[in-house]
Amino acid sequence: MEGTTAEAVTAFRLADRRAGGGHLYALVMRYLSSRVGPALVSESGTPTTFVAAAGLTEMAGWMAHDAGRDDVAANHFQRALNLARAGEAGSLTAQIWASRAHLALHRDDTENALLAAEQAWRQLDGTEDTALRGRALAMLTRAHAARGDATTARTFLRQGEHLLSVPISPPASEWTSPFDLASLASETARSMCDLDDHTAAVEHAHHALNLRSPERVRARVLASLTLARALIGQHKVDEAAGLVAEAGTAIAEVGSAVASARFQEVRAALASYRNVPAVATVLSQTGKAPHGSPAPTLNRSG
């Protein structure tokens, strides 16, 4: 079952990149209840059965988050953590702590975000995948940036950039999620926005967009909205308005409540410049929320 579940996780992950978690959550939950759950209570269950269950449960948490159901996502992450511990999967445990840090940042819970990021880092022993180590460093960067600690945030950022600047070897574990320089650039752009360093945020957001391929629609929309947020901080509202217009068109394709919410946040920031003709046009064209998943309130760090 473990090998089959790992293959399912890979397939779900690829579909999630294209369609967004909101469209896939029910399918993943059906797989969990029909295939994974029975294996956990089977006499033939092994520690790797718990690892497989943990990996898929963490994925369900991310999809619930993308669908705007953060309380459900938090429950999934806690269950995934318990399962990973039962399976003695140190790397997966670290990854789930990083996921919890991301969710806490989204919910503007900076204290728990830092605690979770530090827990992720403590689980690492040097044998883990480069991608996982990079993810933990990115979460430490973001957590310290959200707290306004620019010096510490930039220290972790430099470590992450150094780590991910060399070719990343294939993951040793099928449960480790991809994380590369494009991922780090996107997270860094958000961190720089939190630190009000809009020049650096623009640079990193552009870098993320340059590295992301066209089929990664959701990732590109989120990076574009971060770029727009940074441009507004620089009072370059004509450029920001163009990005918001493009994002409004693309969001319908990804079915992501997180993307929809961030769109509304950036649009609201743009509304302060409604006297600029280009801004007024975009605000008029995007007067209704983009079609897709309902958008929850998004905080500054989401």
Side-chain angles (χ1 to χ4, degrees):
M1 190 277 292
E2 293 84 357
T4 302
T5 300
E7 293 167 2
V9 167
T10 300
F12 285 137
R13 189 178 289 149
L14 291 172
D16 176 54
R17 290 179 183 178
R18 302 187 189 99
H23 296 311
L24 295 169
Y25 177 73
L27 184 61
V28 171
M29 288 304 298
R30 192 156 53 245
Y31 189 94
L32 265 169
S33 61
S34 65
R35 299 291 300 275
V36 180
L40 286 174
V41 296
S42 152
E43 292 182 359
S44 60
T46 66
T48 53
T49 306
F50 285 90
V51 176
L56 198 59
T57 301
E58 185 205 16
M59 174 169 284
W62 274 102
M63 291 179 175
H65 167 57
D66 200 38
R69 303 176 66 190
D70 286 345
D71 288 341
V72 175
N75 289 336
H76 281 309
F77 288 153
Q78 181 59 59
R79 293 191 191 102
L81 190 61
N82 294 337
L83 289 163
R85 286 168 172 163
E88 300 180 351
S91 291
L92 185 53
T93 299
Q95 177 167 286
I96 296 165
W97 275 114
S99 296
R100 294 182 71 172
H102 179 100
L103 184 62
L105 284 162
H106 178 83
R107 303 173 95 172
D108 206 21
D109 186 353
T110 56
E111 294 301 318
N112 279 321
L114 181 57
L115 289 172
E118 289 174 340
Q119 283 284 359
W121 186 252
R122 289 191 193 103
Q123 300 296 321
L124 305 180
D125 60 10
T127 63
E128 64 282 336
D129 299 335
T130 301
L132 176 55
R133 197 171 189 85
R135 182 184 297 277
L137 286 166
M139 289 301 99
L140 285 165
T141 299
R142 284 203 59 206
H144 283 286
R147 289 164 56 90
D149 186 350
T151 300
T152 306
R154 287 189 167 94
T155 297
F156 284 120
L157 171 59
R158 285 192 293 272
Q159 292 181 39
E161 289 176 331
H162 177 73
L163 178 73
L164 296 171
S165 61
V166 297
I168 299 176
S169 58
S173 169
E174 62 265 35
W175 308 112
T176 301
S177 300
F179 193 90
D180 54 17
L181 270 178
S183 306
L184 181 62
S186 187
E187 298 289 4
T188 301
R190 293 157 76 177
S191 297
M192 294 302 105
C193 280
D194 284 343
L195 292 171
D196 292 326
D197 186 347
H198 297 113
T199 299
V202 167
E203 177 185 345
H204 286 288
H206 273 303
H207 190 38
L209 285 166
N210 288 336
L211 291 172
R212 280 288 177 238
S213 55
E215 69 270 12
R216 296 291 297 275
V217 179
R218 181 181 55 190
R220 291 184 61 83
V221 166
L222 292 172
S224 293
L225 290 170
T226 302
L227 176 57
R229 173 181 164 191
L231 289 169
I232 292 170
Q234 292 183 320
H235 306 291
K236 297 179 179 179
V237 294
D238 284 335
E239 292 179 58
L243 289 167
V244 170
E246 292 174 6
T249 301
I251 281 175
E253 183 178 341
V254 298
S256 166
V258 171
S260 181
R262 196 170 305 153
F263 174 87
Q264 294 301 333
E265 179 194 54
V266 175
R267 184 183 180 279
L270 196 61
S272 300
Y273 300 88
R274 63 176 70 252
N275 59 317
V276 177
V279 173
T281 299
V282 170
L283 292 176
S284 175
Q285 291 173 343
T286 60
K288 295 182 179 180
H291 179 70
S293 302
T297 301
L298 184 68
N299 62 67
R300 189 168 178 266
S301 299

